[in-house]
Amino acid sequence: VIGIAALAQSLMILKQIGMDLIAQEEESLIKYAHMKLGAIAGLALATTGISAVGIEAFKFLSSSPQLVGGYLAALFRLGVRTGCFCAQIFVVEVLRSIGFVRASFGFYNTHEDVDVLVSALELYKDWEMPNRWFEANTRKQPEKIAMAIIKDLEERAAKLPTKLGSSQLFEPLTEAEAA
């Protein structure tokens, strides 16, 4: 019953705002996101910037989408999806890829949200530790490597002129816990 009432209220709000206005806002946001993401060196876009569903799919050419998605979620609380998105044959066989990262945008998102995503991806791109080394060595001492990565990324995030560096997002393991 509560779910039905919430759905009814949500539909009334959407009607009050107007679906045409919502569509215009989402279209503007997707174009902005496509432009900003397209400017990141080494990031390949899988979308055109024209989306009826408010998504941008992308990947770094040198890194697995799952690693990028985990990084965005763990360090910046950015909810993205990774993988082939119910199109595995197309993605693997036609696009010759192991998958993509997908960011979804709605009328509740802002240009600032896109800027945060772009800043986080720029930080990832500029990461001094090569991702292939990371992936190969995480099996040996995962906790110590993770702590070094967290420390490095926190220091870098604190220097960014965005809200990325404004607060500690999680408590990293202490050296004693990681030992």
Side-chain angles (χ1 to χ4, degrees):
V1 174
I2 293 174
I4 294 170
L7 176 62
Q9 184 64 33
S10 299
L11 293 173
M12 286 178 17
I13 291 170
L14 291 174
K15 187 176 179 181
Q16 287 174 348
I17 295 170
M19 295 307 288
D20 290 338
L21 179 60
I22 291 171
Q24 289 172 356
E25 289 295 318
E26 285 182 359
E27 182 180 347
S28 170
L29 194 62
I30 287 297
K31 286 180 180 177
Y32 180 73
H34 193 77
M35 177 197 63
K36 296 290 278 189
L37 292 169
I40 299 174
L43 191 75
L45 297 176
T47 47
T48 63
I50 302 170
S51 175
V53 292
I55 64 166
E56 278 294 317
F58 53 88
K59 68 177 184 173
F60 278 103
L61 300 175
S62 62
S63 184
S64 77
Q66 291 75 17
L67 185 59
V68 175
Y71 156 85
L72 292 171
L75 293 176
F76 301 104
R77 308 277 176 162
L78 295 174
V80 296
R81 299 289 182 259
T82 62
C84 296
F85 317 118
C86 300
Q88 184 170 0
I89 293 172
F90 178 74
V91 170
V92 174
E93 298 297 326
V94 177
L95 299 179
R96 301 280 187 221
S97 177
I98 61 168
F100 295 92
V101 178
R102 183 186 74 208
S104 303
F105 300 99
F107 73 95
Y108 44 82
N109 291 113
T110 66
H111 285 73
E112 184 182 49
D113 294 331
V114 173
D115 292 338
V116 169
L117 173 63
V118 168
S119 293
L121 290 170
E122 286 284 354
L123 180 63
Y124 184 89
K125 174 191 67 114
D126 293 337
W127 209 356
E128 290 176 0
M129 182 181 295
N131 296 315
R132 290 188 182 154
W133 181 91
F134 170 80
E135 289 172 348
N137 287 283
T138 52
R139 292 183 188 95
K140 296 177 185 172
Q141 296 180 323
E143 295 86 6
K144 288 184 180 183
I145 292 170
M147 280 187 55
I149 291 167
I150 289 166
K151 182 178 178 186
D152 180 58
L153 289 172
E154 283 180 338
E155 289 171 1
R156 291 171 183 271
K159 296 175 186 174
L160 292 175
T162 68
K163 65 183 180 183
L164 291 177
S166 65
S167 66
Q168 176 93 14
L169 297 178
F170 62 96
E171 290 290 324
L173 295 174
T174 64
E175 288 188 32
E177 292 171 324

